[in-house]
Amino acid sequence: MNAFAFSGLLVLVSSLFFGFFVFFKNTKNRVNQIWGIFSLAVALWGLAGLRIGLIPEEGRALAVFWWRITYLGIIFIPVLFYHFVYLWLGLKRKILLYLFYLWGFFYVILEWTPWADLFIGYDNMRLVFSSFYVVGPKPLFNFFVFCWYAIAIYSHYELYAAFKKTTGLKRIQVKYFFLATAIGFLGGGFSFSMCFGANIYPYYNFTVPLYPAIMAYTILRYNLMDIKVAITRTSIFVVIYTLVLGLPFAIVGWFRGLLTGWFGSLWWAWPLGLMAALATVGPFIYIYIIRRAEDRLLKEQKRYQNTLRQVSLGMTRIRNLRKLLDLITHIITKTVRISYAAIYLYDRETDKYVLRVSRDKGRVPLPELNPDNALIDWLLLERRVLIYEEIKRQAQDSPDPVYVQLEETMRLLTASVVIPCYLEDKFLGFIVLGDKLSGQIYTQEDLSVFQVLASQAALAIENAEFYEETKKIHEQIAQAEKMATVGTMADGLSHQINNRFYALSLIAGDTIDTIKMIDTSKCTPEVKEAFEQVNHALERIQANVIQGGEVVKGVLKYTRKGEENFQALSLDQILDATLEMVQYKVTLSELDIVRNYPKDTPKIKGNLTQLEEVFFNCIDNAYEAITERHTLLKEEGFRGRISFSAQPKNNKLEIVIEDNGMGIKDSSQKKIFTPFFTTKTSTRRGTGLGLYVINKIITDAHEGKIYFESEYKVGTRFIIELPIAEE
């Protein structure tokens, strides 16, 4: 086998392999279809070249036949290449596509007609280098070669124009695509030189199998790998295996006579043994050279990848969430040198994925994403990295509308890459990365490192959130303990306050008596008026002293838990006592308190003090919700309403407390009885213990049941079931 035939074999194998690989990757994609047909045309050229290189000198007629086969592929190579460029770039000049195909079909038909000699000189075909035949030119051949080059050059011109217009990742893709195809067309185009008498051995044909491999890999994975690496890997592969497979054939061709003289009929064993030895050593040589080449090409990339790996190991020691998120975005943007980075985390209170940190003040990213967003659904389902260019291509090629939604969301996020953060099966959020400042694309190795970083970041984020929640709970517990301490001090404080009230009452009373004993008949009107004002002020002091004493009495009564035994209590008795206390916190005049239960409602068995606390918290929460609705919705004529209704249910009394407040969001309803969880938004934000304590009082202390129904912006109903007292 000569070098010409061997180059044809490489072209045949590489074109068929990568052509079918691309085609079957997405058989419905028009771009993939044209690429597959284009690869077949190149493979046909390679097959015919292989066969022509193996034809002996006396096989002139057979060479003519195979050259005819060859030109079926050669004619359509530039046409199909332009068709591919036309589809890939989305060009609009369809008339050129039609003209190029018309040109191709003209020469194909001409070649198989009696007038074929006007095109190719099969009659003056000559043997070159004593190894293969070459056809000669005819009148229409010159025009054919001119058009062949013109179509190829024009296709590259369109690629160059696209390179000048586009930016970012697409620009890089077009640039390397241009370079790869230029290599292939220059190598294949030189083959025409022998037709015009330039006897240059076609070693340049070995560049032809290089560009199909590069282009096919670019089509499939150009968004994951720098094409320089693909070029390097493919070039090294071609060189090494050309030596591995070609050297034994060269020895046979050059030294067959010598080998026959030395080894007789077993001469073939030595080239065969050499081929086996080279085939064994070849992979190791290839791996060694590839590693050395990639170490040089990817030196900067490997440096920042190692830095990211080291950073990922130390993130779990950071307990402050904000500091952790700032560190992650800072390290990524500075180390990898990317234009933009952001982190979105799930927020339980809003049930949304909220932007927690972003690095690039010039951008205005989306502040939050809803859980039903297509991007969130995709990350939850697929659990893998999203690449914008890949999604954009799918949006153009696939009929599935989800890709259009994904493309739109990623565009609004200004995301080149979106990396999900998972802690085992728990989805915490995602990291958004923009383009590299260098204009390079994200490699597969980059994405692998980012996934490791995201996993470590998820663990660190979980730890930081747990630490902050624990810290918040400790603060709330301390506040609750402080309030409990105030409760235990209530007895002593009430005694001291009552003593002060008693003293004020005595002083005010004595002063009033003194004023009454003064004869003011002879005083001037001004003095009389002054005495009257002082007397009125002292009377107001006495009235407020009495009212303050009642307040102290109510506080004392509220804080003395469990001092009363369980007894039969009417709903009116509980409500009256509660309203007496709650009026000092809630402006009852702003509400309509409605009692929708009959007078003969059965009594319940309970502890009055504890049930007062239950109703106190229910009224307080309802008032807060009503205030929030009034503030946010600003409904004309709106007035707060809290209604109480009751009816027997088996051996229990079902009490319904209903308000027309803001209601509870769906995302908060599952956590409503959780300790330290609060939905209050005003400055009087609660500790989150009220409903938790209510639940304990009803379920544990009274063996009852409590649940609720709520609709956001409509209102809430608390249903309490308490045992009916025995008669």
Side-chain angles (χ1 to χ4, degrees), residues 118-130:
L118 296 174
F119 172 33
I120 298 177
Y122 294 114
D123 54 346
N124 61 349
M125 189 169 59
R126 59 193 179 88
L127 185 71
V128 294
F129 303 108
S130 302

Side-chain angles (χ1 to χ4, degrees), residues 142-154:
N142 296 341
F143 180 71
F144 166 79
V145 173
F146 171 79
C147 291
W148 195 96
Y149 274 107
I151 296 171
I153 292 171
Y154 181 74

